[in-house]
Amino acid sequence: MNKDERTMPVVALRGMLVLPGMLMHFDVNRKITVEAVEQAMLTDQMLFLVTQKNEEKEIPSEEDLYETGTIAIIKQMVRMPGNAIRVMVLGVDRAHLMELTKQKPYLQGTVLAQEDEGLEAFSDRQKKAMIQNLLELTQEYAKESNHIGDKALKRLKETTYIPKVVDEIAALLPLDLHSKQNILSEFNCLKRYDMLAEFLAEEIDIARYRKELQAKIKGKVDKNQREYLLREQMKVIREELGEGDTLSEVEEFKEKFKNLEASKEIKNKIWTEIERYRMNSGNNAESTVARGYIETLLSLPWEKCSKDSRDLVAARQLLEEEHYGLEKVKERVVEALAVRMLTSNGNSPILCLVGPPGTGKTSIARSIADALHKKYIRVCLGGVRDEAEIRGHRRTYVGSMPGRIVTALKNAGVKNPLMLLDEIDKVGNDQRGDTASALLEVLDAEQNNRFVDHYVELPVDLSKVLFIATANSLQTIPKPLLDRMEIIEVSSYTENEKYQIAKKYLMKKQLWKNGLESKQVTIDKKAMELLIHGYTREAGVRHLERTIGKICRKVATEALEAAIKEGNATEENPIKDTKVRITTKNIEHYLGKVKYHTNEANRKPAVGIVRGLAWTSVGGDTLEIEVNVMPGKGKLSLTGKLGDVMKESAQIALTYVRSLSDQYKIESEYFEKHDIHIHVPEGATPKDGPSAGITMATAIFSAVTKKKVRADIAMTGEITLRGRVLPIGGLKEKILAGKQAKLKTILVPKENQKDIDELDAEITEGLEILFVEDMKEVLSYSIKAK
């Protein structure tokens, strides 16, 4: 039912709202508001309070005000300093603002109050039940949130009119302005009831959840505080016992553990060790061992890998740039890399580079690592005799540590580095175990994915490691270990290759090392050739590099001394004008007299003197075997520091020559009445091997028959009792030695023809190489016809 329309002063409230039945006081200081209040006091003390939509507007228009407000009566008015007024009002009724009839000097409007709707169909009992339900919700809300006091609840219980109960509860709740305005704007009491009940139920759930969260947080805080106090107490106790650093170490271990990339099995083991260390830190001796063990486990790259390069063209180019010659070696290395890139599991043959010292085996391995963008780590096995060096020491021993393989992996920082096993042919064995046997598991692709080091005691995956081994000889490598590796021979350099290497690489390197520039020191071609064969004797170029370095140091020293004498030593580069050219004429000034002289071919054929070819650790060499026959009792004398195999070859050669007595009309008692002396010059140098067999047989035959042997011929090959010639090794080095000695003809076993075919034309150029199958052919080629 509509009530009468009324015209009354209007007060625009900012940021607040008054509900019917709500007693409230507020301050007003806007001129239009103060005028409205004063006008109300002059009449019936009634005001229409309506909330302003835009709080910043000083003089609001009708559009700036909500349509619904509250008719209120002024209960008290107090004037404040500064023309402000404090007003206490009581909300009487909700009403519509029909229109603003005046805006100056105060707001005045026509309002229409309406009775509450929506409860006409409810009985008194139903209304009572509705009130009880709303009161129970309010009490529950008050219990959970503590926002409503006991006096307010008691006053609510005394109220029996539903609209009044709803408005009073709404006034007590912490509703936002928009929600309160919605309740004020709703004239249907049932809808207001539902809105309020829904809000109370939601707020009760929120309050309960907030309490649960607070309880959990409080529990955690209490637990953290308790743990903190206990830790502080433990810290004080440990400091008193001298163990103050243990907790910080444990925290450091745990921090590293969080960032560790490892399998669950590994992580569980490490965590167990960390906790054990934390608990047993009182035992200093044991804690020291445990700390070292944990540090090792945390520093191993269990699952950490580096990304390999898959650019095969770049790999080949890098090998070409950094290594001159060695074409077959580089080709085989590139093939191995190609296979490794194509296989998904990353396994590839384990390469073993075999060759004399200084031929670039180690540098090739480093170049492979650079080409693949792999971490490079070197493990030197030379002289290693203890199996524990490979498998590690058990932790029960004082000073125990991981083996060299696991240590190298730890230093690399990734599980897929290139690991160079240097000098693998020089590992030994004794009562402490067989080192070579320990390497079998490391180099077996089928087993090394779970390699167990005695110290680590956990399976370490070595299957992603690219192993490359180096050796000077295969003779001392056990067969089972040799079977696990693919052999790549890195043979001696030719003189031309040494010249190119010195010119392109060694000169630049030594000039840089000695602070010189390329224009300051030059070595002409003939001087370099003399330096190569007159001052060095090696298969590789290591000594050659040191000799070039010696020249550079000498030049630098003399130039600096000259600059000091001239008073130019204070300049930034006092030897910048130095220019030295090394020739065959002045090379002795820098290096001294020529150290090595080539045993060139004899000028004339001779009896009992035959030139043989030998392989040494520093390359090939020629040996002039001499035989003398003298009256005696059939004694065979051997001199020249010969090994057992070479002595046996001499016996076989003598036996074979004796078998030719009838064919060459040698007296039957000749060998019983004559002593034979075989000597191999350079007596201080040990010599061994079967390859001088045909050489000694030819020399004995020449000495016995007095037939001369060609001076321009050399030979190599093993001999049997029946005169067959067997194949030998080290052929490239031997052919190079023969060529350097200016020999014209070289006799080689027929079965070595395939090895000769593989040699570069540069090596065989200018030589007549004859292939022989038995001693008859050897004698026919070597004995000079009368």
Side-chain angles (χ1 to χ4, degrees), residues 554-567:
K554 185 86 169 175
V555 169
T557 303
E558 291 181 350
L560 193 56
E561 286 176 348
I564 292 172
K565 288 178 181 178
E566 294 172 5

Side-chain angles (χ1 to χ4, degrees), residues 24-25 68 74 102 119 129 137 144 166 266 313 350 379 406 437 452 458 482 508 533 538 556 560 678-679 734 754 771:
M24 187 176 180
H25 63 80
T68 307
I74 299 174
K102 184 192 292 186
L119 297 176
L137 284 172
E144 296 293 341
V166 171
I266 303 296
V313 176
I350 294 158
V379 179
V406 170
S437 298
V452 178
L458 287 169
L482 201 59
K508 293 178 182 177
H533 63 73
E538 58 179 343
L560 193 56
I678 301 176
H679 177 66
K734 292 177 179 179
K754 60 182 184 302
F771 301 102

Side-chain angles (χ1 to χ4, degrees), residues 327-379:
E327 298 302 329
K328 292 181 180 177
V329 176
K330 290 187 283 191
E331 186 65 32
R332 185 61 194 90
V333 168
V334 171
E335 288 173 3
L337 296 181
V339 171
R340 186 176 180 85
M341 290 176 184
L342 290 174
T343 52
S344 57
N345 57 7
N347 295 331
S348 68
I350 294 158
L351 305 179
C352 181
L353 306 175
V354 182
T359 50
K361 301 182 294 297
T362 303
S363 62
I364 286 175
R366 186 181 289 276
S367 295
I368 293 171
D370 293 340
L372 291 178
H373 297 173
K374 279 182 173 291
K375 290 289 183 68
Y376 171 82
I377 195 78
R378 176 176 172 267
V379 179

Side-chain angles (χ1 to χ4, degrees), residues 23-25 73-77 86-90:
L23 184 66
M24 187 176 180
H25 63 80
I73 184 170
I74 299 174
K75 289 293 187 179
Q76 188 180 31
M77 185 187 81
R86 178 165 293 174
V87 185
M88 179 182 290
V89 298
L90 175 65

Side-chain angles (χ1 to χ4, degrees), residues 532-558:
I532 290 169
H533 63 73
Y535 290 91
T536 65
R537 180 162 288 184
E538 58 179 343
V541 292
R542 192 170 289 155
H543 187 49
L544 176 60
E545 181 181 358
R546 287 197 292 267
T547 307
I548 293 173
K550 185 177 180 180
I551 293 175
C552 293
R553 289 193 300 274
K554 185 86 169 175
V555 169
T557 303
E558 291 181 350

Side-chain angles (χ1 to χ4, degrees), residues 4 127 136-137 155 189 228 234 263 278 295 322 396 451 467 479 484-485 558 597 601 680 698 713 748:
D4 295 336
K127 291 177 181 178
E136 286 175 4
L137 284 172
R155 188 172 67 252
C189 185
Y228 174 75
M234 287 176 65
S263 64
R278 184 174 64 84
E295 287 174 349
E322 296 187 356
T396 51
F451 172 73
F467 288 105
K479 294 294 181 184
R484 281 165 168 76
M485 301 184 292
E558 291 181 350
H597 298 276
V680 183
T698 304
I713 195 169
V748 176

Side-chain angles (χ1 to χ4, degrees), residues 89-355:
V89 298
L90 175 65
V92 177
D93 232 339
R94 55 176 42 82
H96 277 301
L97 176 63
M98 304 304 291
E99 63 175 333
L100 280 179
T101 58
K102 184 192 292 186
Q103 287 184 299
K104 290 183 180 180
Y106 59 87
L107 296 180
Q108 181 176 293
T110 302
V111 297
L112 176 64
Q114 290 185 335
E115 293 182 353
D116 290 306
E117 304 172 353
L119 297 176
E120 296 83 0
F122 291 89
S123 64
D124 291 341
R125 185 176 294 177
Q126 288 174 319
K127 291 177 181 178
K128 188 175 181 181
M130 290 173 67
I131 291 173
Q132 287 294 329
N133 180 54
L134 201 58
L135 288 174
E136 286 175 4
L137 284 172
T138 305
Q139 286 176 329
E140 186 67 25
Y141 172 75
K143 179 183 175 183
E144 296 293 341
S145 66
N146 297 323
H147 281 168
I148 301 177
D150 293 336
K151 289 183 179 179
L153 288 172
K154 185 178 180 181
R155 188 172 67 252
L156 286 173
K157 288 178 182 178
E158 295 172 355
T159 307
T160 57
Y161 184 51
I162 290 180
K164 188 175 181 181
V165 171
V166 171
D167 287 339
E168 286 190 6
I169 292 174
L172 293 171
L173 295 177
L175 293 167
D176 59 79
L177 186 63
H178 181 70
S179 299
K180 284 187 176 182
Q181 183 63 45
N182 288 340
I183 291 174
L184 179 63
S185 301
E186 186 56 67
F187 285 87
N188 188 312
C189 185
L190 185 59
K191 289 183 180 180
R192 292 205 307 274
Y193 179 92
D194 291 340
M195 289 167 65
L196 198 61
E198 183 179 346
F199 175 80
L200 283 169
E202 184 178 345
E203 286 297 313
I204 289 168
D205 288 341
I206 291 172
R208 286 175 179 170
Y209 183 61
R210 189 186 300 117
K211 273 192 173 182
E212 290 177 9
L213 283 177
Q214 288 174 347
K216 287 180 181 178
I217 293 169
K218 188 175 184 299
K220 287 183 179 179
V221 170
D222 291 345
K223 182 182 177 183
N224 290 339
Q225 287 178 340
R226 180 172 173 272
E227 289 179 354
Y228 174 75
L229 291 173
L230 289 174
R231 283 197 190 97
E232 289 299 311
Q233 291 173 359
M234 287 176 65
K235 185 177 179 181
V236 173
I237 293 170
R238 290 182 188 280
E239 286 176 354
E240 291 294 325
L241 293 173
E243 303 168 7
D245 295 334
T246 302
L247 281 178
S248 61
E249 288 176 348
V250 171
E251 293 302 319
E252 183 182 346
F253 290 155
K254 289 182 177 179
E255 189 64 31
K256 290 181 179 179
F257 179 82
K258 289 179 184 178
N259 302 323
L260 186 67
E261 298 177 22
S263 64
K264 188 176 181 181
E265 174 192 2
I266 303 296
K267 282 195 168 186
N268 289 341
K269 172 69 174 176
I270 296 175
W271 184 258
T272 303
E273 291 296 329
I274 292 174
E275 289 298 311
R276 186 180 298 164
Y277 173 68
R278 184 174 64 84
M279 298 299 294
N280 297 338
S281 57
N283 188 339
N284 287 330
E286 187 176 342
S287 64
T288 302
V289 175
R291 181 172 63 249
Y293 180 56
I294 294 169
E295 287 174 349
T296 300
L297 295 183
L298 289 173
S299 60
L300 282 173
W302 299 100
E303 297 296 335
K304 186 179 178 182
C305 291
S306 61
K307 189 175 181 181
D308 293 351
S309 169
R310 302 183 65 84
D311 192 344
L312 196 65
V313 176
R316 184 188 291 274
Q317 185 177 353
L318 186 65
L319 287 173
E320 292 290 347
E321 288 175 357
E322 296 187 356
H323 294 86
Y324 181 83
L326 305 176
E327 298 302 329
K328 292 181 180 177
V329 176
K330 290 187 283 191
E331 186 65 32
R332 185 61 194 90
V333 168
V334 171
E335 288 173 3
L337 296 181
V339 171
R340 186 176 180 85
M341 290 176 184
L342 290 174
T343 52
S344 57
N345 57 7
N347 295 331
S348 68
I350 294 158
L351 305 179
C352 181
L353 306 175
V354 182

